[in-house]
Amino acid sequence: MAWLRNRTLHLLAGFSAGLLIALAVAGFNGCSSQPPLEVWHTERLNLEFTANQSDDEIENYNKYIILEDKLFNQLDEKVYTKTETGPDQLLNRYSPGSAADPRGLDPNWNRSFELEGNGRGGVLLLHGMSDSPYSLRSLGETLNRNGFHVIGLRLPGHGTAPSGLKYVHWRDMAVAVALAMEHLYSGLGSASASLHIIGYSTGASLALDFTLNALEGKSPSIPDSLVLISPAIRVHGAARFAGTKSSLSALPGFENLAWLTVMDEFDPYKYNSFATNAGSQVHNVTVDVDRRIQGLNRQPSIAREFPPVLVLKSTVDSTVTTDAVVDNLLNRLPVDRNELVLFDINRQAAIKSTLLVSDPGPLTNRLLAENDLPFAITFVTNTNAYSNAVEARFKAPHSSDPLLAEPLGLEWPRGVVSLSHVALPFPPDDPLYGKTPAGEQEHIFLGDMALKGERGLLKVSEAWLLRMRYNPFYSYLEKRVLDWFEEPAGMKRFDSE
C-alpha cells in the first residue's frame, strides 16, 4: 500500500502545483488588466469599528457614532488631503470640492443618521455591500414623517473609502446592527410600539441574521416584521473563491487581486471599485443565514415566532434569482404570514424585441399558477401587452382563486425594459439616481443619462450606463412598506382580500 500512498501524494502535489500556477497566471492577467490603485484603494483606516471592540471599548450605539466621527476625520487626513484638486478631478469623489465630493452635501448620507419619531414605532435601515445609508434615505424620511423613529446605520467598511471593504468581516457588520437595534429598542418608550428592520441587498441577510439571534435569546429587541428589498440570498458564483484570491493579493506584485473591480470613484454614496474580500463576505453571510433558515424546521419554537417578511424584488436581478428567494427563504419560513412582491419586465417593450437573454415569465407564471404556496404574491406587470400602464395582481397564500388586479396609475418610462437589483429603493425624483437632475445643481447626477458615442471612449462601461438606477414604481413600493407596518404587520391585507 506504500506505493499507492506515494502515488496519491505525487498526484496531490502535482494538482496543487498546477492550481498555484493557474492562480498565478490568472493573478498576473488580473493585475495587468486592472487600472492602477489609488490612495482610496490602498490606505487603511484603522479607526473603523470591528466586532472585537463591542465588549469593552464600543459597547453601545452612541459610542459607535463617536468612533464614526473620528473615522471620518481620519478619512479626511489620509485620503482627501492626499488627493489632487482641479478641473481634471471634477468627478473624483475624493478630490476636495469636486462635484462628487459628498462632504459638500448636507447631510452627508454616507454617515449613520437618526430621525426621532412620535412613538409609533422604530425602523432600522440596513444598506447593501459597497453602498451607504443613502440607499434607504428616501424610505427612511417617509417613515419618519409617518411617526416612526428611524436609524439609517452606516455599516463598517462603508461610506468612507473602498479600501474599507478589503478588511471588513460580515460579523463586524452584524455586531453594529445589534448595537443599533438595542439603541432603537431602548428609545421606543412604549411596549406597544412596533419594531421593524428594512434590509436592502446584503442588508437583508444581516436583518435575517439579527432576527435569528434575537429569537435564540441573544437580544430582547425582536423585530415585529422584516422588509427585504432586492435581498441577497444564498449568493454563490465567483464569490465562493474570493477568499483564495484575496489571500494571494498579499504577495508582492499581486496587490490588484484584492479587487474584483477597480473603477474611477465618481459616485458620492457608493463605491464603484469592489474588493475581493467584499464578495467573500457576501458569500459567507448568505451561506450562514441560509444554513440557519434551513434549520428552522428543527426548531419549531423559534420558527413559530419568526416575524412576517415582505420581500420586494425585480424579476430580473443580476445578484440574486427569484428561485433563491422562493426556495431558500419564503418556502422555509412560517406559512401564511409572508409576501413576495415581484416587479416584472416591461412586457409592452419585450414583445417588440428578441434581444432578451432569458425571460423570467415562465417562473413567474408557475408561481402565480401554484395553489399551495405558503406565502402571498403580488405581481406588478403591464395591464396588457400593448400598454405601458401597470397593475398589481395579488394572490393570497394557498389560493387557487383568480388573481385580484389593482390598477396603480403608473407607467413604464419610455425605453425602459426592466428594473434592476440597484433600482428598487430610489424614487424617480432622487437627486442623484433619478429620472432628471434636480434643477440647477453643482453636484453630480448619475440617473437617466443618454450618453452616446464611440465604444471605448468613456471610462464608464456601457453596462454601467445601461443599468436602471431608479424605480418608476417607487410610490407603490413605499405604500406597501407603510401598509406592512400596520398592526398586525401584513396580515390585514390577507384577511381583507
Side-chain angles (χ1 to χ4, degrees):
M1 297 298 290
W3 69 268
L4 180 59
R5 182 173 61 255
N6 291 334
R7 177 68 172 168
T8 302
L9 290 174
H10 279 100
L11 287 172
L12 288 174
F15 175 78
S16 300
L19 180 60
L20 287 173
I21 292 171
L23 287 171
V25 171
F28 176 79
N29 291 335
C31 290
S32 61
S33 63
Q34 294 272 40
L37 299 179
E38 304 288 352
V39 63
W40 46 87
H41 298 116
T42 58
E43 191 67 59
R44 183 170 187 174
L45 304 178
N46 59 14
L47 291 178
E48 183 60 273
F49 174 83
T50 60
N52 59 17
Q53 293 174 291
S54 61
D55 292 334
D56 43 22
E57 302 172 61
I58 313 297
E59 73 274 16
N60 59 51
Y61 179 74
N62 289 330
K63 290 189 176 182
Y64 182 87
I65 295 301
I66 293 172
L67 181 64
E68 185 176 276
D69 291 339
K70 295 178 181 178
L71 172 68
F72 275 81
N73 289 334
Q74 188 179 52
L75 174 69
D76 289 346
E77 176 188 347
K78 291 198 170 187
V79 176
Y80 279 95
T81 60
K82 297 179 181 179
T83 304
E84 295 180 359
T85 60
D88 292 344
Q89 303 295 323
L90 184 62
L91 300 183
N92 184 347
R93 166 179 175 165
Y94 296 104
S95 179
S98 74
D101 182 355
R103 302 175 308 164
L105 299 166
D106 187 22
N108 179 355
W109 293 105
N110 287 305
R111 308 285 298 269
S112 299
F113 65 88
E114 184 170 4
L115 308 173
E116 294 190 6
N118 62 11
R120 182 179 180 184
V123 183
L124 178 64
L125 309 177
L126 301 177
H127 62 78
M129 187 67 80
S130 83
D131 294 343
S132 69
Y134 185 80
S135 295
L136 296 171
R137 179 248 348 158
S138 184
L139 193 53
E141 290 182 323
T142 297
L143 290 166
N144 182 246
R145 287 193 294 269
N146 282 268
F148 288 96
H149 188 142
V150 175
I151 291 180
L153 177 66
R154 182 200 66 88
L155 295 169
H158 295 78
T160 53
S163 59
L165 296 187
K166 289 171 59 179
Y167 309 103
V168 73
H169 192 283
W170 74 266
R171 296 197 185 278
D172 300 332
M173 296 186 279
V175 173
V177 170
L179 294 179
M181 280 296 285
E182 292 305 309
H183 179 78
L184 187 61
Y185 177 72
S186 64
L188 290 181
S190 170
S192 62
S194 58
L195 188 64
H196 313 274
I197 305 179
I198 300 178
Y200 168 52
S201 191
T202 306
S205 290
L206 293 169
L208 291 167
D209 171 73
F210 175 84
T211 302
L212 289 164
N213 287 339
L215 291 172
E216 292 168 359
K218 299 175 184 177
S219 171
S221 50
I222 300 174
D224 291 289
S225 79
L226 302 179
V227 173
L228 309 180
I229 301 174
S230 302
I233 303 295
R234 194 62 167 165
V235 174
H236 284 305
R240 71 173 70 185
F241 304 110
T244 301
K245 186 179 176 185
S246 185
S247 299
L248 289 172
S249 68
L251 298 175
F254 287 82
E255 292 82 3
N256 280 58
L257 285 181
W259 300 93
L260 295 174
T261 306
V262 176
M263 281 181 61
D264 288 352
E265 296 297 329
F266 50 79
D267 190 323
Y269 295 128
K270 180 179 176 65
Y271 305 145
N272 292 329
S273 303
F274 196 76
T276 308
N277 176 63
S280 179
Q281 297 308 316
V282 173
H283 171 71
N284 292 343
V285 65
T286 58
V287 168
D288 187 83
V289 168
D290 178 76
R291 173 185 58 80
R292 297 167 70 194
I293 291 289
Q294 190 173 3
L296 283 177
N297 61 352
R298 298 188 297 272
Q299 299 172 292
S301 61
I302 292 178
R304 283 193 298 269
E305 298 300 319
F306 205 97
V309 176
L310 173 67
V311 176
L312 304 112
K313 75 176 297 289
S314 171
T315 57
V316 287
D317 187 319
S318 63
T319 302
V320 64
T321 67
T322 301
D323 282 303
V325 170
V326 171
D327 297 334
N328 293 62
L329 180 64
L330 292 172
N331 276 338
R332 295 173 177 170
L333 294 178
V335 301
D336 302 344
R337 67 175 77 168
N338 310 302
E339 183 173 354
L340 172 63
V341 177
L342 281 175
F343 294 89
D344 195 14
I345 63 174
N346 183 357
R347 290 293 163 185
Q348 197 274 340
I351 62 171
K352 297 178 180 179
S353 173
T354 58
L355 296 178
L356 295 177
V357 174
S358 62
D359 188 339
L363 171 62
T364 307
N365 293 336
R366 177 173 63 80
L367 290 174
L368 295 175
E370 288 187 17
N371 57 16
D372 60 346
L373 289 177
F375 54 90
I377 290 184
T378 296
F379 188 46
V380 179
T381 189
N382 300 67
T383 55
N384 60 67
Y386 303 96
S387 172
N388 275 324
V390 298
E391 63 185 16
R393 302 173 185 174
F394 175 78
K395 187 179 78 164
H398 303 289
S399 174
S400 58
D401 296 333
L403 301 180
L404 298 172
E406 172 192 1
L408 299 183
L410 299 169
E411 294 187 351
W412 282 99
R414 181 180 177 183
V416 177
V417 177
S418 78
L419 300 186
S420 69
H421 180 79
V422 299
L424 265 68
F426 298 104
D429 62 353
D430 187 271
L432 180 60
Y433 303 120
K435 188 174 183 180
T436 56
E440 300 264 343
Q441 60 180 37
E442 299 178 356
H443 296 281
I444 194 169
F445 175 73
L446 300 173
D448 241 354
M449 295 186 291
L451 298 178
K452 288 183 173 61
E454 182 56 274
R455 63 185 178 184
L457 175 66
L458 299 176
K459 293 182 179 179
V460 184
S461 70
E462 292 87 345
W464 194 97
L465 290 171
L466 281 172
R467 202 175 195 191
M468 190 67 175
R469 297 279 157 182
Y470 72 90
N471 184 356
F473 316 121
Y474 175 83
S475 59
Y476 176 71
L477 178 146
E478 188 174 80
K479 179 180 182 301
R480 288 306 320 278
V481 173
L482 287 168
D483 289 346
W484 190 256
F485 288 169
E486 293 293 330
E487 200 62 46
M491 302 309 294
K492 187 180 295 184
R493 174 175 172 82
F494 299 170
D495 295 339
S496 63
E497 299 295 349

